[in-house]
Amino acid sequence: MESVRSTCSALRPERLRCEHLVDPMGLDEVAPRLSWSVAGDGRDRRQSAYEIRVATTREALSDEHGLAWHTGRVESDETLDHVYQGEPLQACTRYWWLVRVWDERGVVSGWADLAFFETGFMGAPWPAGWISERSLGADEEYETPRLAAYDNPFQALSVAHFRRSFVLDRPVASARLHATALGVYEMLINGRRVGEDVLAPGWTDYHTRLEYQTYDVSDHLVAGDNVVAALLGEGWYSGYLGFNRKRPANIYGVKPALSAFLVITFVDGTRLAISTDDAWRYSRGPHIYSDVLMGEHYDARLMMPGWNRPGFDDRTWHEPELGATPPRSIHGARGPAIRVMRRLAAKSVKAASDGSFVFDLGQNMVGRTCLRIRAERGRVIRLRHGEVLHEDGTLYVENLRSTRQEDIYVATGEGEEVWEPTFSVHGFRYVAVHGLADAPPLEAIEGCVIHNAMEETSSLETSSDLVNRLYANILWGQRGNFLAVPTDCPQRDERLGWLADAQVFLRTASWNMDVQAFFTKWMIDVLDAQSPEGAFPDVAPRGPLPQDGAPAWGDAGVIVPMTLYERYGDERLLARAYPGMAAWLHYIRRHNPDGIRTEACHANFGDWLSLGEQTPKALVATAYYAHVAALMARAATILKIPEDAAFYDALFARIREAFQRRFMAKDGRLEGNTQTAYLLALAFDLMPDHLVPRAVAHLVENIEGRGGHLTTGFLGVRHLCPILTQHGHSDLAYRLALNESYPSWGYSIANGATTIWERWDGWTGEKGFQSPKMNSFNHYSLGSVGEWLFGAMAGIDDDRSGGAFRKIRLRPTPGPGVDRCAARFLSPRGWIASEWVRSQDGISYAFEVPANTLAIVELVAKGAVSILRDGEETTPLGWTDDRDRGRAKFELGSGSHRFAVLNARPQH
Ligand code: RAM
């Protein structure tokens, strides 16, 4: 080991993040947190000290006296969440930062690549005015286009085009554009798009809060004439939202408004600020209407060439109306922006019986279609979007309910035309193109995948095609539904931030992507949505569905911050959420003093969409009540509030006892005798110790009695495979996970699923499609089995201590039907890899953990004669031989390690 060490190079600090984002702009945190990870060759690598430097210029970073914060050398192995403690941060200022680290031998690294964060207004009042379209008089009409000539079945609004000219007479040093909208916007300067954000500023409860974006536009400006321009649409603010079919819905407001603040700093140190005011002009353009849910109608003949550049004659344009009323809280974006994240080429195109040409993208996805065609002027092309097809090859769109997700493009006839809708998002795999006489080429349609820009952090490859597809389907469900908020589905008139869906899926989500900043933002939405009585909602933002939260739904207000703490060690978020979490607990307690939760359960969904058996709702509700009480006790301990911890511990014990008294028979049988009943009781520690084996036996018996099939809904399914594995039935967990007969994940895959379905019986050979009233083919909830794929099959897990993978638990669990499993995961501390292969001789296992972490490896060695480490049967340091119970445990430092667990062979 020593020799490995002495040849290895210094550690490398990398992946620098501030507030869990890479180089964030417009940050309004007074004391932002800085994180990095360290990489290094060899084993047992450790950071022993670090030094951080922060300064407002790059040059000042090398000047000890010019620093805003200088930690000096600090003896510490921590790489995450170093709270800024330098000079008070100035508003609207870029701070560059650097870090270097010392390794276990005291060898110092080079400085990491330069990173920055840029502050926003830091709590100062939002400086810009608000502009919107004027309400026209009865006899007035917009010049362009004459909307009356078009069919607008949804009465959705057009997209307002705003512009404002200005002259620059001095050389520009830098420029920033801060912008937001009651609605959705895109900004342009001199015809060039500012940033790449889609549907900014995203969705918040616009009554309560609004986020703004900050863009570096220094290189958008030119000497002389300039134009800043904007497109403004309705978005979640005044467009169709949820199942509200009224127009105008007026959930938040009826008329979108834009607010922008362009600050130009000249080389001579002077500044010019341009705000949205009466110097702007607006017009309507080629969008006949644009709506997130319904789609977009765009007549390209009405394009106004040059409208967003200098030299355009805007004398016929209108003066805007001023003074929309924004919410009091306007602050810098807290999560990652929404972007076009990838593009999918069409796989095939077929003529359908209704005259359309149906393109197949090969993947159920969320985003928009890019159309590329040549057509004569005035040709109307309709693009309809659906997730699946009818048997005759036409689109199945019945499940969209009132949503249309249909785009209309009217061609100019000028060469090749390329178009994407601006403010509309669809959930689809198939695009039916109507209005073309001849079959268009495959390249005519491309799918633009849109979601919040989160880093993907995993890969999973196994010998089983079914498992590989299951993993892909789970990942695609997340790509499709992490859009502004974690939505239940992306296609029908719903697309809401349902709380239970989010809490059951969060662990899985955090394997697939770095979701910390995304959920930090959404937790603000959840807290905003808490009622004065303490009730969390069913959906956040509440928007079109204002009701209070059901058990397991409202409980997400406690589960989400605790899960984020376990995965990322985010204590600040936990501390901020804590008062709200406590208020929720007291709300439940007030209504249910005897511990059995039957009151204030609101829509009380139970184990939603379970199949063939119903778990008593009071049992589900009480189990969850106990669970959130236990989580509160943990939260209080972490936050060092011992009185609270004792209170919630006692509360948990009382509810647990009440649960046993009310729902449990002496033989450990639970009321209803359902799979979910046992799963919740076992997962939430509600069974007395001596009856745990009985509960497990009842569960197994239930599953076996159904020929190895599940009945679980949203709530039970998450615990199904993990609990079976934990209690010695991993073979049965594998059987369920790899099952192809109905109901199972495999059944949907065998029937062509490329995402997780909302319901086990979304389509069955026997009955065809489920009721179109509720039948999404892209709902991530039942995909919560993803946490088992990583946590059990691949065997990588955090230790739930909040150490954010400082200690990595590795417990690979091979099982029937899979001969090889290779997983990789980018933890907050770096890449973890885990791979096992089964052969006749036994299992070989290799893993890698990043510098500065410790691996607790547990190998199931039942029946094995020997365990080899790096090819030799040695007992390494940290070895605790536990082979009597069929397990061997090791504690190992960073680097890659190799084991072989050999089978017994006949003796000669
Ligand atoms: C459905 C949603 C969601 C679920 C609720 C109870 O409409 O799709 O997934 O949480 O109902």
Side-chain angles (χ1 to χ4, degrees):
M1 195 68 64
E2 272 310 310
S3 65
V4 179
R5 233 186 236 185
S6 55
T7 55
C8 62
S9 49
L11 289 178
R12 294 180 305 278
E14 51 183 42
R15 294 191 73 235
L16 273 58
R17 286 147 287 154
C18 173
E19 283 302 315
H20 319 114
L21 293 164
V22 176
D23 298 340
M25 304 266 294
L27 202 66
D28 283 337
E29 276 292 343
V30 178
R33 293 163 295 173
L34 305 178
S35 304
W36 60 89
S37 46
V38 283
D41 322 321
R43 287 181 177 169
D44 294 326
R45 304 305 306 278
R46 212 167 44 76
Q47 169 185 300
S48 59
Y50 68 84
E51 177 184 353
I52 301 173
R53 293 179 170 217
V54 182
T56 51
T57 62
R58 293 174 204 233
E59 298 72 46
L61 284 168
S62 45
D63 168 8
E64 299 253 340
H65 304 291
L67 297 170
W69 187 36
H70 187 195
T71 61
R73 176 180 159 147
V74 181
E75 305 297 316
S76 161
D77 60 359
E78 189 49 84
T79 61
L80 300 180
D81 287 343
H82 292 275
V83 179
Y84 175 86
Q85 292 170 46
E87 287 171 8
L89 295 175
Q90 306 295 309
C92 298
T93 304
R94 175 167 294 195
Y95 288 87
W96 298 95
W97 69 283
L98 277 178
V99 62
R100 63 175 168 177
V101 302
W102 283 261
D103 71 6
E104 65 289 340
R105 302 160 298 176
V107 176
V108 68
S109 73
W111 292 102
D113 288 345
L114 198 56
F116 68 82
F117 62 89
E118 198 167 302
T119 53
F121 297 106
M122 300 295 274
W126 175 251
W130 289 84
I131 54 175
S132 38
E133 292 188 75
R134 225 158 28 88
S135 309
L136 294 188
D139 50 349
E140 281 183 287
E141 213 201 320
Y142 288 103
E143 287 302 311
T144 349
R146 296 191 183 284
L147 288 176
Y150 294 87
D151 182 29
N152 185 345
F154 319 114
Q155 293 134 34
L157 288 187
S158 171
V159 170
H161 292 51
F162 289 91
R163 59 177 267 126
R164 159 52 152 120
S165 314
F166 57 96
V167 178
L168 296 179
D169 57 2
R170 281 156 289 167
V172 171
S174 67
R176 293 292 181 273
L177 179 64
H178 311 274
T180 187
L182 294 166
V184 284
Y185 74 89
E186 280 183 17
M187 303 282 311
L188 303 106
I189 292 180
N190 296 330
R192 204 175 122 203
R193 179 99 146 74
V194 172
E196 295 165 24
D197 299 1
V198 175
L199 295 168
W203 183 12
T204 47
D205 181 339
Y206 304 110
H207 294 307
T208 313
R209 105 179 35 247
L210 197 57
E211 294 194 329
Y212 66 86
Q213 284 67 41
T214 296
Y215 306 98
D216 182 351
V217 293
S218 311
D219 63 358
H220 281 65
L221 300 170
V222 293
D225 293 337
N226 288 266
V227 165
V228 54
L231 297 170
L232 176 66
E234 301 202 83
W236 298 274
Y237 177 71
S238 61
Y240 285 91
L241 188 59
F243 12 67
N244 196 315
R245 296 171 189 191
K246 282 191 298 229
R247 179 77 216 163
N250 201 5
I251 292 164
Y252 299 114
V254 290
K255 195 199 286 186
L258 175 77
S259 189
F261 197 65
L262 174 62
V263 186
I264 302 162
T265 309
F266 298 101
V267 173
D268 65 9
T270 56
R271 280 185 174 204
L272 172 69
I274 293 169
S275 169
T276 29
D277 58 15
D278 58 4
W280 291 61
R281 290 293 175 268
Y282 78 91
S283 168
R284 291 189 168 178
H287 304 79
I288 308 309
Y289 60 80
S290 177
D291 182 84
V292 174
L293 265 60
M294 295 305 177
E296 197 159 295
H297 185 165
Y298 189 92
D299 188 337
R301 295 171 302 178
L302 302 173
M303 284 193 296
M304 305 173 289
W307 73 273
N308 47 33
R309 280 194 285 271
F312 180 82
D313 182 359
D314 64 9
R315 276 173 302 178
T316 59
W317 284 36
H318 306 270
E319 199 175 306
E321 192 170 282
L322 303 179
T325 341
R328 225 174 337 117
S329 178
I330 304 182
H331 61 83
R334 207 52 203 75
I338 304 168
R339 298 259 166 89
V340 174
M341 298 300 289
R342 63 181 71 214
R343 289 173 179 267
L344 299 184
K347 296 260 194 281
S348 68
V349 54
K350 285 196 186 108
S353 56
D354 60 2
S356 66
F357 295 99
V358 177
F359 285 76
D360 179 5
L361 293 163
Q363 173 62 53
N364 197 8
M365 57 154 277
V366 175
R368 59 196 184 199
T369 295
C370 178
L371 173 71
R372 187 182 293 269
I373 45 125
R374 286 172 191 278
E376 75 280 7
R377 187 171 177 81
R379 166 77 62 176
V380 178
I381 297 152
R382 267 190 327 133
L383 306 172
R384 294 167 57 239
H385 299 81
E387 297 181 286
V388 282
L389 297 179
H390 286 293
E391 261 171 34
D392 68 356
T394 56
L395 283 196
Y396 170 83
V397 288
E398 290 83 332
N399 66 338
L400 303 180
R401 304 196 301 218
S402 72
T403 296
R404 210 56 86 81
Q405 46 178 36
E406 179 177 320
D407 303 321
I408 302 173
Y409 180 77
V410 186
T412 63
E414 290 158 23
E416 186 181 71
E417 302 179 41
V418 182
W419 175 76
E420 285 171 28
T422 318
F423 295 132
S424 197
V425 180
H426 317 314
F428 62 103
R429 167 174 171 171
Y430 300 96
V431 187
V433 181
H434 295 254
L436 293 177
D438 303 321
L442 259 191
E443 300 71 48
I445 292 293
E446 197 182 39
C448 312
V449 177
I450 294 176
H451 57 88
N452 286 80
M454 287 165 281
E455 188 172 8
E456 296 199 353
T457 51
S458 71
S459 69
L460 183 85
E461 215 193 286
T462 74
S463 57
S464 155
D465 290 342
L466 189 151
V467 172
N468 299 344
R469 188 66 240 183
L470 175 59
Y471 165 66
N473 289 6
I474 295 168
L475 186 55
W476 274 103
Q478 185 166 348
R479 288 180 185 141
N481 281 295
F482 279 35
L483 206 159
V485 301
T487 58
D488 61 324
C489 60
Q491 69 299 81
R492 68 181 178 221
D493 52 1
E494 188 153 354
R495 313 187 189 188
L496 301 176
W498 284 94
L499 268 73
D501 306 41
Q503 64 92 353
V504 297
F505 189 68
L506 175 52
R507 266 192 165 262
T508 297
S510 65
W511 287 111
N512 295 337
M513 298 181 193
D514 179 351
V515 297
Q516 188 174 10
F518 178 77
F519 272 96
T520 299
K521 182 268 174 187
W522 187 65
M523 243 340 271
I524 299 173
D525 297 334
V526 172
L527 291 166
D528 280 349
Q530 193 165 28
S531 78
E533 289 73 39
F536 285 125
D538 271 336
V539 302
R542 287 200 189 222
L545 192 67
Q547 70 210 26
D548 289 339
W553 271 252
D555 296 326
V558 175
I559 298 166
V560 168
M562 267 311 291
T563 311
L564 292 174
Y565 176 79
E566 288 173 359
R567 296 296 284 188
Y568 300 102
D570 197 338
E571 201 172 313
R572 180 183 279 181
L573 183 131
L574 190 64
R576 287 183 182 171
Y578 187 80
M581 293 158 70
W584 169 248
L585 252 288
H586 290 297
Y587 169 83
I588 308 173
R589 199 172 64 96
R590 269 199 316 277
H591 289 279
N592 301 281
D594 65 354
I596 299 297
R597 188 182 185 186
T598 50
E599 297 301 317
C601 293
H602 309 293
N604 207 359
F605 300 109
D607 184 25
W608 187 241
L609 300 184
S610 60
L611 204 68
E613 58 181 25
Q614 280 279 340
T615 308
K617 288 186 175 174
L619 184 153
V620 172
T622 306
Y624 259 93
Y625 180 24
H627 180 49
V628 289
L631 292 179
M632 278 307 288
R634 272 202 68 203
T637 306
I638 292 157
L639 299 174
K640 303 189 182 62
I641 317 172
E643 336 62 89
D644 282 15
F647 174 85
Y648 291 116
D649 266 335
L651 179 62
F652 170 72
R654 270 210 316 280
I655 305 166
R656 186 174 189 263
E657 205 193 297
F659 178 92
Q660 294 173 358
R661 240 186 297 118
R662 167 77 190 269
F663 303 112
M664 196 186 76
K666 285 205 183 67
D667 65 348
R669 201 167 285 268
L670 293 175
E671 194 181 311
N673 196 33
T674 66
Q675 295 176 13
T676 291
Y678 296 111
L679 289 167
L680 296 184
L682 290 164
F684 300 160
D685 184 24
L686 302 179
M687 301 300 293
D689 284 355
H690 71 285
L691 288 179
V692 165
R694 300 293 287 275
V696 173
H698 295 315
L699 169 65
V700 170
E701 194 183 302
N702 179 319
I703 300 168
E704 295 288 9
R706 294 167 192 276
H709 287 104
L710 50 77
T711 60
T712 47
F714 279 26
L715 305 184
V717 70
R718 180 188 159 198
H719 302 290
L720 184 61
C721 291
I723 286 290
L724 287 169
T725 303
Q726 196 182 317
H727 292 278
H729 293 276
S730 68
D731 285 10
L732 186 53
Y734 268 80
R735 224 170 107 201
L736 288 162
L738 273 76
N739 207 348
E740 285 187 78
S741 53
Y742 173 78
S744 64
W745 294 279
Y747 185 76
S748 71
I749 292 170
N751 287 293
T754 59
T755 36
I756 299 291
W757 294 352
E758 175 176 25
R759 319 175 71 132
W760 298 115
D761 56 356
W763 185 91
T764 62
E766 224 187 1
K767 295 193 183 144
F769 289 115
Q770 242 291 356
S771 158
K773 286 191 183 137
M774 208 183 80
N775 197 20
S776 147
F777 290 97
N778 194 357
H779 236 72
Y780 56 67
S781 305
L782 299 179
S784 60
V785 65
E787 86 180 66
W788 178 81
L789 295 179
F790 282 90
M793 183 182 281
I796 310 172
D797 217 343
D798 59 301
D799 69 348
R800 307 208 175 194
S801 67
F805 292 89
R806 178 190 286 283
K807 279 192 185 160
I808 299 158
R809 231 205 48 203
L810 294 165
R811 196 190 288 156
T813 314
V818 181
D819 290 327
R820 187 180 91 88
C821 171
R824 280 170 64 76
F825 169 60
L826 180 57
S827 77
R829 298 183 190 274
W831 281 102
I832 301 169
S834 173
E835 174 172 5
W836 54 260
V837 183
R838 192 207 322 267
S839 69
Q840 279 182 335
D841 299 335
I843 304 275
S844 60
Y845 178 56
F847 71 87
E848 190 176 333
V849 295
N852 222 30
T853 63
L854 194 68
I856 318 290
V857 190
E858 215 174 293
L859 297 176
V860 178
K862 233 179 284 167
V865 283
S866 49
I867 295 179
L868 309 186
R869 184 175 166 220
D870 292 334
E872 283 179 36
E873 194 173 359
T874 49
T875 303
L877 222 64
W879 157 281
T880 52
D881 196 339
D882 204 5
R883 278 192 245 183
D884 290 348
R885 293 212 313 263
R887 289 180 195 284
K889 270 194 189 173
F890 304 79
E891 258 192 36
L892 298 167
S894 71
S896 32
H897 303 266
R898 221 160 245 294
F899 287 87
V901 182
L902 298 183
N903 292 333
R905 288 196 185 180
Q907 302 275 319
H908 294 291

